[in-house]
Amino acid sequence: MGVNIRSFKLPQYGLTLYRKFFLCCYLQNRPSLQSDQKFTSMAHLVYFNGRGRGEIVRMMLAASEIPFTESFLTERKQFENLLEDGALSFKQVPLLRIDDMELVQTGAIVRYVARKGGLYSADDKMAAMIDMYYDASRDFQYIFLTLKFLKTEEQVIADAKAAGDSKYFPALEKRLKENGTGFLVGNSLTLADVGFLEVLLMCIEYGGEHFFDDYVEVQKYYQRLISIPSMANFLKSPFRKRKNDDQYIAEVKLVLNRT
């Protein structure tokens, strides 16, 4: 990956993550993703070497302080092996192997991880609020999923700005003022916050640092989230994936047999 291990600092996880990072590098270069990788003692993510629907899983694992390894799909045969093994219940990825389970469906994955990491709620009303804001973040994030697949970067930025200004930023501003804790639900980080952090990061990355300057509470919220140690460490780590590029698009289309 070209990572200088001396600059790869994740103090919250300690030295064990360094070992897991090297194991991750090994797994990424294996030609097969068959049953020999099933049910390891740590979480293992199978997805493409890009963001897509896998990045929120990575972010939630990091926020929940659950160490994980990952392997990348780059060839059609790897995907076929997973189908033959019965690992993909609905013939899609991401796939997370965790606690003797093979989970697909991103929403199910992140909610399970959130419960394990204390980023959900046992209270039904609070859980419903977390779900509501997380699902809203997915609607917003879908705009960026289309990048280079269906729309140009310029189109995506324009769509995200329009959606943000007309719907999402005012709603966030209102909720943050009402809750008064710096978080969307309760007084600590939840799945809802991580969901919106993913989108806010992309707004800044693609649209520039002034993308939501008109929303003071959203600005403070964003700065608060990226300063949380688990998130700050993740964003500096090799597990944070690059923007969609031509290589990523080509690999996705090849693996999924799409033109």
Side-chain angles (χ1 to χ4, degrees):
M1 287 186 177
V3 176
N4 182 345
I5 194 65
R6 293 180 181 176
S7 65
F8 178 55
K9 296 178 181 178
L10 288 175
Q12 199 158 1
Y13 297 121
L15 291 176
T16 56
L17 189 55
Y18 291 116
R19 291 193 290 270
K20 287 162 186 173
F21 169 61
F22 286 119
L23 176 58
C24 168
C25 292
Y26 164 70
L27 290 172
Q28 287 165 2
N29 293 305
R30 295 184 64 186
S32 174
L33 294 172
Q34 292 182 294
S35 58
D36 61 328
Q37 289 181 23
K38 285 184 181 178
F39 309 145
T40 58
S41 59
M42 70 184 79
H44 182 75
L45 176 65
V46 180
Y47 196 63
F48 304 99
N49 186 15
R51 295 176 185 173
R53 297 187 186 276
E55 195 73 351
I56 188 62
V57 178
R58 299 181 185 106
M59 292 180 70
M60 279 304 302
L61 287 165
S64 299
E65 300 184 28
I66 298 174
F68 67 103
T69 58
E70 57 182 351
S71 45
F72 300 144
L73 296 168
T74 58
E75 302 172 1
R76 176 66 183 175
K77 181 60 177 173
Q78 294 172 305
F79 189 72
E80 291 173 348
N81 288 342
L82 291 171
L83 294 174
E84 290 169 7
D85 279 357
L88 304 181
S89 296
F90 300 101
K91 300 182 179 181
Q92 62 193 52
V93 288
L95 162 68
L96 184 68
R97 288 176 167 137
I98 186 171
D99 296 340
D100 292 344
M101 295 186 294
E102 293 182 316
L103 295 178
V104 293
Q105 294 292 338
T106 309
I109 292 171
V110 296
R111 285 178 173 86
Y112 181 77
V113 171
R115 290 186 180 97
K116 280 183 68 73
L119 303 183
Y120 211 58
S121 178
D123 178 85
D124 287 344
K125 289 184 177 179
M126 288 188 69
M129 293 296 289
I130 291 170
D131 284 341
M132 182 177 77
Y133 283 101
Y134 174 74
D135 288 348
S137 78
R138 298 306 86 193
D139 291 344
F140 196 1
Q141 189 253 357
Y142 179 76
I143 295 171
F144 291 95
L145 281 180
T146 65
L147 184 63
K148 286 186 175 285
F149 286 100
L150 301 175
K151 295 184 178 182
T152 66
E153 184 168 324
E154 292 73 20
Q155 289 173 317
V156 166
I157 293 170
D159 289 350
K161 183 62 174 171
D165 286 339
S166 66
K167 183 189 295 187
Y168 298 106
F169 297 148
L172 287 177
E173 193 86 354
K174 179 175 182 290
R175 176 60 183 174
L176 290 164
K177 287 179 181 178
E178 289 174 349
N179 199 36
T181 66
F183 300 97
L184 290 174
V185 183
N187 59 7
S188 61
L189 187 72
T190 69
L191 169 63
D193 300 304
V194 180
F196 265 107
L197 175 58
E198 182 189 16
V199 190
L200 295 177
L201 284 164
M202 289 188 288
C203 288
I204 294 291
E205 189 172 25
Y206 287 100
E209 61 181 341
H210 302 295
F211 199 84
F212 40 81
D213 269 3
D214 294 336
Y215 306 92
V216 176
E217 293 301 320
V218 176
Q219 289 182 59
K220 292 190 293 186
Y221 176 61
Y222 171 75
Q223 291 299 326
R224 182 178 298 107
L225 294 182
I226 63 174
S227 299
I228 293 173
S230 60
M231 293 291 87
N233 291 333
F234 171 79
L235 293 173
K236 292 183 292 186
S237 81
F239 292 100
R240 172 64 169 168
K241 297 300 179 274
R242 66 192 188 278
K243 287 180 172 183
N244 285 10
D245 57 20
D246 292 339
Q247 179 183 347
Y248 169 71
I249 303 299
E251 287 176 350
V252 171
K253 290 182 176 181
L254 175 65
V255 169
L256 299 182
N257 199 23
R258 296 177 181 173
T259 56

